Amino acid sequence: MCLFCEIIKGNIPSTLVYEDDMTYCFRDINPVAPTHVLVVPKKHFDNIRDIAAAADGAQYLSACSKAIDEVAKLEGLDSGFRVINNCGEDGGQTVMHLHFHVIGGVKLTEKMI
Ligand code: AMP
Ligand code: ZN
């Protein structure tokens, strides 16, 4: 069972921010800033390396890029924000379905979070 696949199917509740054919974007349950949205491809990829190896990976990556822009517009992140992808155990990835954290709504420190 993959948590984010279940969220995308609607079997586990989430707070939707933006959705299109290829992505599903919802609020992180444990936000670290006023805006903390997870941009998730609707097709399951384990991580950023998995998407690089897939024939349709480029399409999904491009869709994620568009979705990040849509989330930024919807959340009014005009003065900037941070995008984070954790990859693998040492990268701090806890949900093994590729996702991008879009974090903003406050002036972020130069340090990584
Ligand atoms: P990562 O550590 O990069 O794999 O990020 C996983 C993120 O998923 C964490 O920031 C969690 O707070 C978030 N998360 C876990 N379960 C849920 C959930 N049911 N709904 C929304 N976000 C979740
Ligand atoms: Zn999944």
Side-chain angles (χ1 to χ4, degrees):
M1 195 278 265
C2 168
L3 177 63
F4 287 176
C5 282
E6 293 305 308
I7 285 177
I8 291 162
K9 283 189 244 168
N11 295 336
I12 293 174
S14 63
T15 305
L16 183 69
V17 174
Y18 172 79
E19 179 181 19
D20 58 30
D21 286 355
M22 300 181 98
T23 73
Y24 191 88
C25 311
F26 55 98
R27 298 201 187 279
D28 196 293
I29 205 167
N30 190 19
V32 299
T35 290
H36 187 167
V37 174
L38 301 174
V39 170
V40 183
K42 284 187 174 174
K43 181 175 174 182
H44 182 99
F45 297 96
D46 289 346
N47 57 43
I48 195 87
R49 301 186 74 185
D50 194 19
I51 207 170
D56 53 1
Q59 269 177 284
Y60 277 94
L61 207 48
S62 170
C64 287
S65 154
K66 176 180 162 33
I68 289 167
D69 184 53
E70 294 294 340
V71 168
K73 277 190 233 161
L74 288 166
E75 295 288 301
L77 305 179
D78 302 330
S79 51
F81 57 94
R82 184 167 291 157
V83 178
I84 294 176
N85 169 252
N86 296 324
C87 180
E89 198 183 333
D90 282 2
Q93 185 177 3
T94 59
V95 178
M96 299 302 165
H97 180 135
L98 174 69
H99 55 280
F100 297 93
H101 298 253
V102 177
I103 294 167
V106 69
K107 173 102 175 127
L108 299 167
T109 66
E110 289 178 14
K111 286 187 176 178
M112 291 169 65
I113 57 161

